[in-house]
DNA sequence: ATCCTCCGTGTAATCGATTCCACGAGGAGG
DNA sequence: CCTCCTCGTGGAATCGATTACACGGAGGAT
């Protein structure tokens, strides 16, 4: 492959001049510029990004470590991240952790070895050593979706608290009283938060969330299926299962179908994360939708801000409830205003974008 | 960040010796080895992959350009590619073309600029200049899923011909005679092949595939919806719609639902590409399943073979029909043996792995 | 006419690794 | 005791770019 030296020789100039032309440096004569450009054209020259990175100590590359590529939520996130990054002149290298801390660590390590300019992470666990080290060492970093408490890194995420309240109001309105949840791993923030939000919302209606109604999942379909089977085996099974992500909801559907039961007649189902397929499942699944695209874009902007020396703020965007038929009759409508036993919570429409600086 | 020089200083040795220890070169004394290792540990040193790549002219990185990350088929492919690559000591950088030739070109260019060791492509069109140039210039390359005729590059793909025959037999057996297809872009091999296979299979049953029953899609949900609406507006709408990929099938479901019609009572549906969600759609969708994981792994092996100077062979694996309920009654069973008007085609069970060298 | 500036260009150092070659010490063989 | 290997090590070139610095010539000011 042609190098800058070849171009210099072809143009009858020095490599310095060639470099200057290529980088739009002002002090180059028009003549030199045209000769260089002609040589570049003639040789089909393309600058070696590896050499350039070594010299400038910047790669114009962002690393993105996501928890699971097979999860449509992350896939959509990855797409918007790449899109925004491209618009800002950066490339993205994706590492898929498959919800495994060891794989996450592997990818963080290789990304750091490649000297990426910044790291976007949705941590699978409470913080792998390599990642914490990178954060402390000053590698520009932003958490997206999930985060690690106590680490001084901006967080871009969505807050599902309101939407979960709306969901519980909806379920309560349909007459459901025994509500269960398939939780995500306790090591993740989203794993804990969604349970907390659910419990809080239930409490507002005077409902309890007993231990037997909290199933431990791992954000994968298999665990959703196992947990749901456990629920169905209970002496008093729940009337509703709320899956903390879309894949566990899929697993729940598997379990219900395997028993020959029906949703929502025999058991109702709702999910955190909305995906296109939920429109066409049997029945269409009521879900909490995150503004995924906006999340990805905001995360990139925050990270690039950090990289380029600007502050880089945390962002929290609201999620919203999308009612379908999987929780019982009363088709697709707006969530009902709560008529709770003792709750204060006013029926609040999805609030506008809220930002909070970290 | 600590460099090899810092390690050398810390260990009281030269950079040459440090490098030798790090690369497992034999002629290093045990004493030097332990001192280097201690220094590495003390400084938290990690070799700079950029510098190493510049010197060795190898990045141990594969580029993967896929047509659409939001398509679960490609997402699964990407996952298996990364997995196999990792097992062989390579990293993967994914570029998402979103079915757009210009984006595909962008990614091919940046990947080449980064001096990846090899390129895995599922071309969105008939061959962008940059890609053809790379192929001619001798960049190790392998086509996966789709390919470009006339370019001397191994192809790893699956052959759906048999499965399409099985599908048509199934449909014919259920009494359907007016069958339509939502095709992919004619610029892609999979776009053309699936239509051809379908037409051929229909011919074996004495059925015709009129122009009005061939809708032009682009492998995205939106086009599936539009084409299906067109079919439904026909004076004599088809009894069956066969979508050439899973996203267009999703779009078809959208269209059918928007009209208040039902599958399969009003119109039957089948799809190329099987995805997990098809089990739970309303109704479960009959689909042709590709051995996606095996495809990805085979592609990586072929590419790494090329990179490391071995031949690198083409691979073709059979797809198979998965019958569900979207084409009419007679639940999930094996595809029936054809009782065609004049077809020779024997009821062939999915054949074992077939390989053909390019 | 002389001096100073500024402009365009080239030389060479540099980034962090790998690796060829040279060199000194020590052991074996004559 | 001398010679010749072998082994471990270090010096320095190298990969392909960027960029500080030096330099020569043209043009303007005096």
């Amino acid at each position: 492959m042609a190098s800058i030296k070849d171009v210099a020789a072809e143009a009858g100039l020095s490599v310095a001049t060639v470099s200057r032309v290529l980088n739009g440096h002002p002090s180059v004569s028009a003549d030199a510029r045209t000769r260089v450009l002609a040589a570049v054209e003639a040789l089909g020259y393309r600058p070696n990004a590896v050499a350039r990175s070594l010299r400038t100590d910047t790669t114009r590359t962002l690393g993105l470590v996501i928890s699971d590529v097979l999860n449509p939520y992350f896939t959509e996130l990855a797409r918007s991240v790449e899109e925004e990054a491209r618009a800002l002149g950066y490339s993205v290298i994706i590492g898929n952790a498959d919800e495994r801390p060891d794989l996450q660590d592997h990818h963080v390590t290789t990304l750091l070895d490649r000297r990426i300019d910044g790291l976007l992470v949705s941590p699978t666990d409470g913080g792998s050593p390599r990642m914490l080290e990178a954060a402390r060492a000053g590698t520009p970093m932003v958490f997206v979706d999930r985060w690690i408490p106590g680490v001084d890194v901006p967080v871009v995420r969505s807050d599902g608290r309101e939407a979960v309240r709306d969901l519980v109001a909806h379920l309560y309105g349909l007459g459901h009283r025994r509500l269960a949840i398939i939780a995500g791993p306790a090591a993740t923030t989203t794993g804990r938060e969604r349970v907390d939000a659910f419990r809080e919302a239930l409490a507002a209606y005077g409902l309890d969330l007993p231990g037997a109604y909290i199933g431990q999942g791992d954000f994968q379909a298999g665990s959703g299926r196992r947990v749901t089977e456990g629920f169905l085996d209970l002496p008093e099974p729940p009337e509703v299962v709320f899956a903390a992500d879309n894949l566990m909801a899929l697993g729940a559907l598997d379990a219900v179908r395997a028993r020959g039961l029906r949703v929502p007649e025999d058991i109702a189902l709702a999910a955190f994360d909305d995906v296109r397929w939920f429109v066409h499942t049997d029945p269409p699944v009521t879900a909490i939708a995150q503004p995924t695209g906006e999340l990805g874009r905001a995360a990139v902007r925050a990270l690039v801000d950090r990289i380029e020396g600007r502050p880089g703020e945390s962002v929290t965007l609201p999620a919203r409830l999308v009612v379908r038929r999987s929780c019982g009759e009363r088709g697709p409508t707006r969530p009902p205003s709560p008529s709770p036993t003792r709750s204060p919570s006013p029926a609040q429409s999805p609030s506008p974008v809220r930002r909070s600086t970290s």
Side-chain angles (χ1 to χ4, degrees), chain A:
Chain A
M1 216 160 203
S3 82
I4 196 170
K5 267 188 211 152
D6 303 316
V7 176
E10 172 85 12
L13 292 162
S14 72
V15 295
T17 303
V18 174
S19 175
R20 279 189 276 255
V21 170
L22 264 27
N23 292 289
H25 193 93
S27 73
V28 195
S29 67
D31 172 61
R33 189 182 314 278
T34 54
R35 272 157 66 202
V36 167
L37 263 22
V40 165
E41 184 69 24
L43 296 168
Y45 168 77
R46 291 250 75 211
N48 184 329
V50 174
R52 191 200 297 256
S53 291
L54 176 60
R55 182 59 232 253
T56 61
D57 197 32
T58 115
T59 50
R60 292 205 76 80
T61 300
L62 272 27
L64 170 65
V65 180
I66 57 177
S67 313
D68 182 6
V69 249
L70 296 187
N71 186 328
Y73 168 73
F74 285 112
T75 241
E76 198 181 329
L77 189 71
R79 180 176 188 271
S80 67
V81 163
E82 195 274 336
E83 215 162 52
E84 182 74 7
R86 182 154 32 82
L88 297 176
Y90 286 80
S91 299
V92 176
I93 303 184
I94 301 173
N96 169 34
D98 256 354
E99 302 285 359
R100 282 168 43 190
D102 63 316
L103 251 188
Q104 169 181 273
D105 232 41
H106 165 85
H107 284 119
V108 170
T109 304
T110 44
L111 289 170
L112 256 24
D113 285 355
R114 280 162 185 271
R115 301 300 192 265
I116 45 147
D117 294 340
L119 197 54
L120 232 39
V121 193
S122 164
T124 285
D125 60 359
S128 69
R130 189 75 63 192
M131 221 168 59
L132 299 177
E133 190 185 316
R136 234 179 301 108
T139 307
M141 201 155 136
V142 166
F143 288 137
V144 56
D145 183 48
R146 311 178 185 173
W147 82 97
I148 300 175
V151 182
D152 182 28
V153 162
V155 179
V156 174
R157 64 187 197 100
S158 98
D159 180 1
R161 204 160 294 263
E162 299 257 349
V164 169
R165 268 207 288 273
D166 290 345
L167 172 64
V168 170
H170 170 62
L171 295 169
Y172 191 93
L174 291 170
H176 298 303
R177 294 296 178 271
R178 297 198 309 277
L179 318 190
I181 185 169
I182 311 175
T188 64
T189 46
T190 47
R192 293 190 300 273
E193 276 179 350
R194 291 170 192 179
V195 176
D196 291 347
F198 194 54
R199 191 198 320 271
E200 240 175 60
L202 289 180
Y205 285 84
L207 298 177
D208 194 30
L209 183 60
Y213 281 5
I214 306 179
Q216 194 53 57
D218 61 4
F219 284 137
Q220 307 269 21
S223 71
R225 176 167 186 159
R226 278 192 305 278
V227 168
T228 304
E229 280 165 354
F231 286 155
L232 294 173
D233 287 338
L234 250 28
E236 193 170 50
E239 294 157 344
V240 182
V241 173
F242 175 39
D245 87 339
N246 73 88
L247 292 180
M248 296 194 297
L250 181 62
L253 282 173
D254 284 342
V256 172
R257 164 169 306 238
R259 295 269 174 126
L261 299 176
R262 288 183 319 164
V263 175
E265 292 81 356
D266 298 308
I267 190 162
L269 178 69
F272 209 106
D273 289 347
D274 195 18
V275 297
R276 290 199 67 168
W277 297 100
F278 278 162
V279 174
H280 294 292
T281 46
D282 177 25
V285 175
T286 292
I288 291 176
Q290 297 190 51
T292 318
E294 191 46 49
L295 241 34
R297 285 187 288 274
V300 170
R301 283 194 297 265
L303 182 56
V304 170
D305 278 348
R306 283 239 143 167
I307 291 171
E308 299 178 352
R310 296 182 295 272
E313 55 177 8
S314 288
V315 177
T316 304
L317 302 173
R320 62 172 226 291
L321 178 66
V322 178
V323 174
R324 298 201 183 89
R325 295 208 323 272
S326 65
C327 297
E329 273 327 307
R330 201 185 315 178
T333 57
R334 303 296 312 155
S337 55
S339 52
T341 36
R342 60 161 194 223
S343 156
S345 96
Q348 206 171 334
S349 62
S351 34
V353 174
R354 281 168 297 159
R355 287 157 193 270
S356 63
T357 312
S358 75

